Amino acid sequence: MGGIFASALKEDCVFDLFFGTDYHSHLGTRRAGMAVYGKDGFDRAIHNIENSPFRTKFENDVKKMQGYMGIGCISDYDPQPLIVRSHHGTYALTTVGRINNSNTLSEHILRRGGTQFLEMSGGNINATELVAALINEKDNLIEGIRYAQEIIDGSLTLMLLTPQGIYLSRDRLGRTPLVIGKKEEGFCASFESFAYLNLGYEHFRELGPGEVAVMTPDGVTTLSAPGKKMRICTFLWVYYGYPSSSYEGISVEAMRVRCGQLLARRDQMSSADIDSVAGVPDSGTAHAVGYANESGVPFSRPFIKYTPTWPRSFMPTMQNKRALIAKMKLIPVHELIEGQRLLLIDDSIVRGTQLRETTEFLYHSGAKEVHVRPACPPLIFGCKYISFSRSSSEMELITRRTIKEVEGEQVSRELLYDYANPDSERYHHMLERLCRQLGFTSLRYNRLDDMLAAVGLPTDQLCTYCWSGRE
């Protein structure tokens, strides 16, 4: 994943850029950067943030940087923003998205006599560098941005900083958001809508799918009108988004509470079956509150995430201690665990490793039963549009491994659709195997229709590919 922020002010923008970018730290864990433009031209800083928070790494840069326009990013993978010198002039670029046809596009550019690409560790090409090369194939920036969005298989939302203004472009199907804030001194643009509130901005508007606009300290002008089709990622509400954010006017926290309520209504567990409802911190908490409110079963926090020194998911390279380190940030509250029948809600089950270890952790702390209720349906299809993990194969999904155990190597698309159907025998057989494999007392997933109802947008505006396998 990744998060981006931009500011364009009539005064120095670095303070806003620093804190606005920092508010996206939950969306990335490895790289971060800021680029500004001012009277002395472009300035940029990029740091590795794997073992240290954004603020710590950039506090010295902020004291030195000056500019009235700037862009910043938190990235899971690629170093950015990049400063690019081309026939369009010099600009800085940052992106969020996924490029599935990266090899094809880079070969196309090289065959046409385009620029060389700097290879990163692992042999990959920096996605933002590839986007810049695509933009530079056209005669002007607007045509270049449109061209990049059309030719990329996947998704692309970007911010492009020039001396004249900041070009903003939301993915052509709006899979990721881009929101504008306004205050007296100017404007900002942000992936997360809450990131500018404490900086004095008020909500101005959201960019529509495929919209291209330019932002200056004086205003935001649409250069390419938004399209009519939208497929925003539903996982933004279930997992990615920070609780205080909203997308398309729908609150993340409120959606999660509704989601838990509908899960409880379908599940019909009561105090006769369980003693308390808990959420896996942090994204499972609001789902659990909704479930508890609807079911009447008390909400509890049987374990607490220790955040002062574990602000992000980071893993030291001590191979023989990795399993222990992965558990160290969850601290048990034994009085709320011992002898209890717990119902545990997590946002999702991907590989299954983390939730299995959490369940073992609860049993070892004295839990009598652990019933698991993921807030979304089984993840059966690998996401093609947003890089929420480094998974190189759908077989890293625990559902797909379980299906392979039952069906063998060759599994048809139609068969996978049947496993995704909550009313099919295959679906229920898969859940039984997962429940035994992961050591749960019981396992029931949320249904797709209930989850979509919790969002409240028309279903044809929401991307559900990872659950349904359908575009």
Side-chain angles (χ1 to χ4, degrees):
M1 194 43 144
I4 51 179
F5 187 88
S7 57
L9 303 179
K10 297 170 185 175
E11 56 187 32
D12 190 84
C13 74
V14 175
F15 180 91
D16 286 12
L17 182 64
F18 174 68
F19 285 101
T21 304
D22 180 57
Y23 270 132
H24 289 81
S25 294
H26 60 290
L27 292 173
T29 61
R30 293 182 175 145
R31 302 287 184 272
M34 298 190 303
V36 297
Y37 182 82
K39 60 182 179 63
D40 296 324
F42 286 92
D43 193 8
R44 181 190 62 173
I46 295 176
H47 292 293
N48 182 317
I49 58 169
E50 288 183 87
N51 298 334
S52 184
F54 174 87
R55 288 193 304 275
T56 302
K57 283 295 183 77
F58 285 85
E59 60 183 354
N60 290 328
D61 299 296
V62 170
K63 298 173 185 176
K64 303 171 185 176
M65 299 179 87
Q66 289 185 329
Y68 55 90
M69 293 189 296
I71 58 177
C73 74
I74 303 284
S75 174
D76 250 348
Y77 310 128
D78 304 334
Q80 50 172 323
L82 300 182
I83 293 183
V84 179
R85 184 172 296 177
S86 74
H87 64 283
H88 301 306
T90 301
Y91 62 83
L93 178 67
T94 187
T95 66
V96 167
R98 177 177 177 133
I99 306 177
N100 297 316
N101 55 341
S102 174
N103 290 337
T104 302
L105 293 177
S106 58
E107 289 171 4
H108 159 77
I109 292 169
L110 292 172
R111 281 198 306 269
R112 293 188 55 170
T115 182
Q116 74 281 353
F117 294 100
L118 298 177
E119 196 171 275
M120 300 189 301
S121 59
N124 297 318
I125 293 173
N126 187 317
T128 301
E129 183 183 5
L130 178 56
V131 171
L134 293 171
I135 291 172
N136 293 341
E137 287 211 314
K138 296 301 178 180
D139 292 334
N140 60 66
L141 289 173
I142 302 172
E143 288 182 9
I145 292 170
R146 287 174 178 164
Y147 172 65
Q149 288 191 324
E150 290 167 2
I151 200 170
I152 284 174
D153 174 20
S155 67
L156 172 65
T157 293
L158 64 81
M159 296 175 171
L160 192 154
L161 170 65
T162 74
Q164 291 76 40
I166 304 173
Y167 289 81
L168 308 170
S169 179
R170 185 177 174 185
D171 173 69
R172 63 188 180 88
L173 288 177
R175 297 190 188 277
T176 47
L178 203 53
V179 192
I180 309 296
K182 178 183 179 180
K183 64 180 179 180
E184 185 176 346
E185 294 83 8
F187 294 83
C188 72
S190 180
F191 184 108
E192 292 284 36
S193 61
F194 76 90
Y196 50 73
L197 297 179
N198 288 341
L199 297 171
Y201 296 86
E202 295 181 352
H203 180 71
F204 185 58
R205 71 179 182 91
E206 295 188 47
L207 262 63
E211 181 177 356
V212 180
V214 64
M215 180 175 74
T216 70
D218 298 312
V220 179
T221 304
T222 297
L223 304 174
S224 181
K228 296 180 179 180
K229 292 183 179 180
M230 182 169 69
R231 295 290 186 277
I232 187 169
C233 173
T234 312
F235 223 20
L236 286 167
W237 286 276
V238 178
Y239 167 64
Y240 291 128
Y242 206 69
S244 51
S245 258
S246 296
Y247 310 111
E248 300 300 322
I250 308 296
S251 162
V252 169
E253 184 79 351
M255 179 275 175
R256 290 175 183 172
V257 171
R258 288 193 298 270
C259 194
Q261 290 172 333
L262 293 174
L263 183 56
R265 201 171 298 168
R266 180 85 62 174
D267 200 22
Q268 295 186 334
M269 295 281 272
S270 69
S271 56
D273 308 301
I274 51 176
D275 297 310
S276 66
V277 179
V280 176
D282 291 312
S283 51
T285 301
H287 295 293
V289 169
Y291 191 106
N293 290 344
E294 181 68 23
S295 66
V297 178
F299 170 80
S300 71
R301 294 205 296 166
F303 46 72
I304 311 297
K305 182 187 286 186
Y306 189 77
T307 57
T309 53
W310 297 91
R312 59 183 69 249
S313 296
F314 113 93
M315 181 61 68
T317 57
M318 292 179 278
Q319 194 67 34
N320 62 332
K321 297 291 186 182
R322 288 176 72 89
L324 175 61
I325 292 168
K327 301 175 185 177
M328 285 175 65
K329 61 183 171 183
L330 290 181
I331 312 298
V333 182
H334 288 284
E335 291 82 356
L336 300 179
I337 300 174
E338 292 177 358
Q340 295 293 295
R341 299 168 300 168
L342 303 174
L343 187 140
L344 187 63
I345 300 182
D346 203 354
D347 51 75
S348 60
I349 302 178
V350 183
R351 295 175 181 86
T353 306
Q354 186 173 351
L355 198 52
R356 181 178 62 244
E357 291 177 348
T358 299
T359 303
E360 292 172 354
F361 163 86
L362 290 172
Y363 282 135
H364 291 158
S365 299
K368 185 178 179 181
E369 299 175 0
V370 180
H371 303 266
V372 173
R373 301 293 184 265
C376 70
L379 292 160
I380 294 177
F381 304 87
C383 178
K384 300 196 300 183
Y385 304 108
I386 296 175
S387 297
F388 70 88
S389 76
R390 276 277 187 172
S391 299
S392 57
S393 168
E394 288 182 320
M395 296 312 298
E396 293 188 34
L397 299 172
I398 191 171
T399 53
R400 292 299 290 273
R401 296 198 303 272
T402 302
I403 293 170
K404 180 183 176 182
E405 291 170 4
V406 176
E407 305 290 348
E409 291 287 345
Q410 300 300 321
V411 181
S412 69
R413 197 80 176 175
E414 291 303 319
L415 205 59
L416 292 176
Y417 291 151
D418 197 37
Y419 274 102
N421 177 6
D423 298 318
S424 72
E425 290 185 10
R426 284 191 173 93
Y427 174 92
H428 290 285
H429 182 56
M430 176 181 67
L431 261 60
E432 290 172 5
R433 293 179 69 98
L434 288 171
C435 186
R436 290 195 303 270
Q437 182 180 347
L438 297 174
F440 307 149
T441 304
S442 70
L443 171 64
R444 293 190 189 114
Y445 284 84
N446 202 358
R447 287 175 60 108
L448 183 60
D449 50 357
D450 286 345
M451 184 185 68
L452 297 181
V455 177
L457 290 174
T459 56
D460 63 355
Q461 294 183 6
L462 296 166
C463 180
T464 62
Y465 181 83
C466 57
W467 302 293
S468 67
R470 302 183 189 278
E471 300 292 344

